[in-house]
Amino acid sequence: MIRPIVKYPDPVLSKPTELVTDFGEETRKLVEDMFESMYAAQGIGLAAPQVGVPLRLTVVDLSNQKEEDGKIVLINPEVIVREGKQIEEEGCLSLPDIREKVSRAMKVTVRAQDLDAEWFEVDGEELLARAFQHEIDHLDGVLFIERISRLKRDLALRKIRKLIKAGDW
Ligand code: NI
């Protein structure tokens, strides 16, 4: 089931999430819906708050459904290692039409649980590292526009206000 994607400034996007403790059917269904919603929106990552669910859970698929093993589910994730630096343009399904360069670690290691509650570690570099950091930020209630300069953020917020006013948001 495709769930609607919550947009800025919905308050669910700016609150830290709760840890996932249920590893049953409900969480499996949520994950399935999140992949479906993300693919429908042409995204490469989606965090639970973006479908209005304040839980520490995110999905990533850089291949956008093209590769069988492209699906990554991160439950209760934490970035445990950060290395290097990359500055690339970023966007977000909750901030459509806003794209800005954001500084992120070049390589990260994430520790998370899978759908069976098993802990695992996954490494990411470049775009995958960026996706992990962007999505885990969502779980901490942080949007990428909070990681750009105040000037650029003010311009982005002005653009968003105009779009809201025009009914195009
Ligand atoms: Ni996002």
PDB file of all heavy atoms in Angstrom, residues 18 21 39 56 60 74-75 78 100 119 122 125 127 143 147 155:
ATOM      1  N   GLU A  18      10.904   7.148  18.084  1.00  0.00           N
ATOM      2  CA  GLU A  18      10.942   6.115  19.132  1.00  0.00           C
ATOM      3  C   GLU A  18      11.624   4.864  18.576  1.00  0.00           C
ATOM      4  O   GLU A  18      11.468   4.542  17.392  1.00  0.00           O
ATOM      5  CB  GLU A  18       9.509   5.707  19.506  1.00  0.00           C
ATOM      6  CG  GLU A  18       8.636   6.824  20.023  1.00  0.00           C
ATOM      7  CD  GLU A  18       8.820   7.038  21.517  1.00  0.00           C
ATOM      8  OE1 GLU A  18       9.221   6.069  22.205  1.00  0.00           O
ATOM      9  OE2 GLU A  18       8.586   8.166  21.977  1.00  0.00           O
ATOM     10  N   THR A  21      10.307  -1.647  18.777  1.00  0.00           N
ATOM     11  CA  THR A  21      10.369  -2.800  19.692  1.00  0.00           C
ATOM     12  C   THR A  21       9.530  -3.959  19.166  1.00  0.00           C
ATOM     13  O   THR A  21       9.685  -5.095  19.601  1.00  0.00           O
ATOM     14  CB  THR A  21       9.866  -2.422  21.100  1.00  0.00           C
ATOM     15  OG1 THR A  21       8.560  -1.841  20.960  1.00  0.00           O
ATOM     16  CG2 THR A  21      10.782  -1.429  21.784  1.00  0.00           C
ATOM     17  N   TYR A  39       9.415   3.831  -4.003  1.00  0.00           N
ATOM     18  CA  TYR A  39       9.545   3.558  -5.442  1.00  0.00           C
ATOM     19  C   TYR A  39       8.556   4.418  -6.233  1.00  0.00           C
ATOM     20  O   TYR A  39       8.906   4.955  -7.284  1.00  0.00           O
ATOM     21  CB  TYR A  39       9.311   2.070  -5.739  1.00  0.00           C
ATOM     22  CG  TYR A  39      10.355   1.149  -5.151  1.00  0.00           C
ATOM     23  CD1 TYR A  39      10.001  -0.074  -4.573  1.00  0.00           C
ATOM     24  CD2 TYR A  39      11.710   1.489  -5.185  1.00  0.00           C
ATOM     25  CE1 TYR A  39      10.952  -0.931  -4.048  1.00  0.00           C
ATOM     26  CE2 TYR A  39      12.671   0.639  -4.657  1.00  0.00           C
ATOM     27  CZ  TYR A  39      12.294  -0.577  -4.083  1.00  0.00           C
ATOM     28  OH  TYR A  39      13.243  -1.411  -3.554  1.00  0.00           O
ATOM     29  N   ARG A  56      12.021   4.627  14.697  1.00  0.00           N
ATOM     30  CA  ARG A  56      13.420   4.637  14.244  1.00  0.00           C
ATOM     31  C   ARG A  56      13.647   3.540  13.205  1.00  0.00           C
ATOM     32  O   ARG A  56      14.191   2.468  13.514  1.00  0.00           O
ATOM     33  CB  ARG A  56      14.345   4.486  15.453  1.00  0.00           C
ATOM     34  CG  ARG A  56      15.765   4.893  15.140  1.00  0.00           C
ATOM     35  CD  ARG A  56      16.601   5.186  16.347  1.00  0.00           C
ATOM     36  NE  ARG A  56      17.919   5.588  15.898  1.00  0.00           N
ATOM     37  CZ  ARG A  56      18.273   6.836  15.587  1.00  0.00           C
ATOM     38  NH1 ARG A  56      17.424   7.824  15.742  1.00  0.00           N
ATOM     39  NH2 ARG A  56      19.489   7.096  15.152  1.00  0.00           N
ATOM     40  N   VAL A  60      16.343   1.999   2.283  1.00  0.00           N
ATOM     41  CA  VAL A  60      17.194   2.594   1.253  1.00  0.00           C
ATOM     42  C   VAL A  60      17.267   1.602   0.089  1.00  0.00           C
ATOM     43  O   VAL A  60      17.330   0.385   0.308  1.00  0.00           O
ATOM     44  CB  VAL A  60      18.617   2.862   1.817  1.00  0.00           C
ATOM     45  CG1 VAL A  60      19.574   3.293   0.707  1.00  0.00           C
ATOM     46  CG2 VAL A  60      18.586   3.918   2.929  1.00  0.00           C
ATOM     47  N   LEU A  74      16.906  -0.611   7.661  1.00  0.00           N
ATOM     48  CA  LEU A  74      17.678  -0.262   8.861  1.00  0.00           C
ATOM     49  C   LEU A  74      16.702   0.029  10.001  1.00  0.00           C
ATOM     50  O   LEU A  74      15.968   1.014   9.966  1.00  0.00           O
ATOM     51  CB  LEU A  74      18.546   0.974   8.596  1.00  0.00           C
ATOM     52  CG  LEU A  74      19.568   0.899   7.447  1.00  0.00           C
ATOM     53  CD1 LEU A  74      20.212   2.266   7.243  1.00  0.00           C
ATOM     54  CD2 LEU A  74      20.636  -0.154   7.723  1.00  0.00           C
ATOM     55  N   ILE A  75      16.708  -0.833  11.004  1.00  0.00           N
ATOM     56  CA  ILE A  75      15.843  -0.649  12.162  1.00  0.00           C
ATOM     57  C   ILE A  75      16.713  -0.271  13.361  1.00  0.00           C
ATOM     58  O   ILE A  75      17.737  -0.917  13.618  1.00  0.00           O
ATOM     59  CB  ILE A  75      15.029  -1.940  12.438  1.00  0.00           C
ATOM     60  CG1 ILE A  75      14.183  -2.286  11.195  1.00  0.00           C
ATOM     61  CG2 ILE A  75      14.148  -1.776  13.672  1.00  0.00           C
ATOM     62  CD1 ILE A  75      13.391  -3.574  11.298  1.00  0.00           C
ATOM     63  N   GLU A  78      22.262   3.319  13.959  1.00  0.00           N
ATOM     64  CA  GLU A  78      23.179   4.357  14.435  1.00  0.00           C
ATOM     65  C   GLU A  78      24.390   4.353  13.510  1.00  0.00           C
ATOM     66  O   GLU A  78      24.844   3.286  13.118  1.00  0.00           O
ATOM     67  CB  GLU A  78      23.689   4.058  15.853  1.00  0.00           C
ATOM     68  CG  GLU A  78      22.641   4.086  16.953  1.00  0.00           C
ATOM     69  CD  GLU A  78      22.098   5.477  17.285  1.00  0.00           C
ATOM     70  OE1 GLU A  78      22.721   6.476  16.848  1.00  0.00           O
ATOM     71  OE2 GLU A  78      21.056   5.540  17.955  1.00  0.00           O
ATOM     72  N   GLU A 100      20.226  21.197  -2.514  1.00  0.00           N
ATOM     73  CA  GLU A 100      21.373  21.993  -2.060  1.00  0.00           C
ATOM     74  C   GLU A 100      22.547  21.070  -1.796  1.00  0.00           C
ATOM     75  O   GLU A 100      22.363  19.891  -1.481  1.00  0.00           O
ATOM     76  CB  GLU A 100      21.030  22.735  -0.760  1.00  0.00           C
ATOM     77  CG  GLU A 100      20.046  23.878  -0.917  1.00  0.00           C
ATOM     78  CD  GLU A 100      20.550  25.056  -1.741  1.00  0.00           C
ATOM     79  OE1 GLU A 100      21.776  25.187  -1.921  1.00  0.00           O
ATOM     80  OE2 GLU A 100      19.691  25.836  -2.214  1.00  0.00           O
ATOM     81  N   TRP A 119      21.044  -7.875  15.002  1.00  0.00           N
ATOM     82  CA  TRP A 119      21.920  -6.722  14.772  1.00  0.00           C
ATOM     83  C   TRP A 119      22.911  -7.036  13.661  1.00  0.00           C
ATOM     84  O   TRP A 119      23.397  -8.170  13.560  1.00  0.00           O
ATOM     85  CB  TRP A 119      22.674  -6.362  16.052  1.00  0.00           C
ATOM     86  CG  TRP A 119      21.778  -5.712  17.077  1.00  0.00           C
ATOM     87  CD1 TRP A 119      21.149  -6.340  18.124  1.00  0.00           C
ATOM     88  CD2 TRP A 119      21.381  -4.339  17.131  1.00  0.00           C
ATOM     89  NE1 TRP A 119      20.394  -5.424  18.828  1.00  0.00           N
ATOM     90  CE2 TRP A 119      20.518  -4.203  18.257  1.00  0.00           C
ATOM     91  CE3 TRP A 119      21.690  -3.216  16.356  1.00  0.00           C
ATOM     92  CZ2 TRP A 119      19.951  -2.971  18.607  1.00  0.00           C
ATOM     93  CZ3 TRP A 119      21.119  -1.994  16.701  1.00  0.00           C
ATOM     94  CH2 TRP A 119      20.254  -1.885  17.831  1.00  0.00           C
ATOM     95  N   VAL A 122      26.603  -2.447   8.375  1.00  0.00           N
ATOM     96  CA  VAL A 122      26.682  -2.267   6.927  1.00  0.00           C
ATOM     97  C   VAL A 122      27.533  -1.030   6.642  1.00  0.00           C
ATOM     98  O   VAL A 122      27.411  -0.016   7.321  1.00  0.00           O
ATOM     99  CB  VAL A 122      25.274  -2.184   6.289  1.00  0.00           C
ATOM    100  CG1 VAL A 122      24.414  -1.088   6.901  1.00  0.00           C
ATOM    101  CG2 VAL A 122      25.342  -2.006   4.779  1.00  0.00           C
ATOM    102  N   GLU A 125      29.654   3.887   1.085  1.00  0.00           N
ATOM    103  CA  GLU A 125      30.560   4.911   0.577  1.00  0.00           C
ATOM    104  C   GLU A 125      29.804   5.809  -0.380  1.00  0.00           C
ATOM    105  O   GLU A 125      28.827   5.366  -0.996  1.00  0.00           O
ATOM    106  CB  GLU A 125      31.691   4.245  -0.225  1.00  0.00           C
ATOM    107  CG  GLU A 125      32.925   3.946   0.591  1.00  0.00           C
ATOM    108  CD  GLU A 125      34.064   3.484  -0.303  1.00  0.00           C
ATOM    109  OE1 GLU A 125      34.670   4.324  -0.990  1.00  0.00           O
ATOM    110  OE2 GLU A 125      34.338   2.271  -0.308  1.00  0.00           O
ATOM    111  N   LEU A 127      27.466   7.777  -2.458  1.00  0.00           N
ATOM    112  CA  LEU A 127      26.017   7.998  -2.427  1.00  0.00           C
ATOM    113  C   LEU A 127      25.322   7.164  -1.342  1.00  0.00           C
ATOM    114  O   LEU A 127      24.392   7.637  -0.678  1.00  0.00           O
ATOM    115  CB  LEU A 127      25.403   7.688  -3.809  1.00  0.00           C
ATOM    116  CG  LEU A 127      23.899   7.944  -3.934  1.00  0.00           C
ATOM    117  CD1 LEU A 127      23.544   9.407  -3.645  1.00  0.00           C
ATOM    118  CD2 LEU A 127      23.399   7.554  -5.336  1.00  0.00           C
ATOM    119  N   LEU A 143      16.361  17.644   9.178  1.00  0.00           N
ATOM    120  CA  LEU A 143      16.212  17.705   7.719  1.00  0.00           C
ATOM    121  C   LEU A 143      17.478  18.290   7.098  1.00  0.00           C
ATOM    122  O   LEU A 143      18.203  19.045   7.752  1.00  0.00           O
ATOM    123  CB  LEU A 143      15.017  18.587   7.350  1.00  0.00           C
ATOM    124  CG  LEU A 143      13.663  18.061   7.814  1.00  0.00           C
ATOM    125  CD1 LEU A 143      12.579  19.111   7.594  1.00  0.00           C
ATOM    126  CD2 LEU A 143      13.294  16.771   7.087  1.00  0.00           C
ATOM    127  N   ARG A 147      21.375  21.518   7.512  1.00  0.00           N
ATOM    128  CA  ARG A 147      22.819  21.296   7.362  1.00  0.00           C
ATOM    129  C   ARG A 147      23.420  22.174   6.273  1.00  0.00           C
ATOM    130  O   ARG A 147      24.493  21.897   5.764  1.00  0.00           O
ATOM    131  CB  ARG A 147      23.087  19.816   7.076  1.00  0.00           C
ATOM    132  CG  ARG A 147      22.637  18.907   8.206  1.00  0.00           C
ATOM    133  CD  ARG A 147      23.451  17.644   8.241  1.00  0.00           C
ATOM    134  NE  ARG A 147      23.071  16.746   9.314  1.00  0.00           N
ATOM    135  CZ  ARG A 147      23.534  16.817  10.558  1.00  0.00           C
ATOM    136  NH1 ARG A 147      24.394  17.777  10.882  1.00  0.00           N
ATOM    137  NH2 ARG A 147      23.151  15.955  11.467  1.00  0.00           N
ATOM    138  N   LEU A 155      16.640  31.164   1.909  1.00  0.00           N
ATOM    139  CA  LEU A 155      16.161  31.203   0.519  1.00  0.00           C
ATOM    140  C   LEU A 155      15.248  30.011   0.235  1.00  0.00           C
ATOM    141  O   LEU A 155      14.198  30.152  -0.392  1.00  0.00           O
ATOM    142  CB  LEU A 155      17.349  31.208  -0.455  1.00  0.00           C
ATOM    143  CG  LEU A 155      18.150  32.506  -0.517  1.00  0.00           C
ATOM    144  CD1 LEU A 155      19.424  32.309  -1.353  1.00  0.00           C
ATOM    145  CD2 LEU A 155      17.312  33.649  -1.092  1.00  0.00           C
TER     146      LEU A 155
END
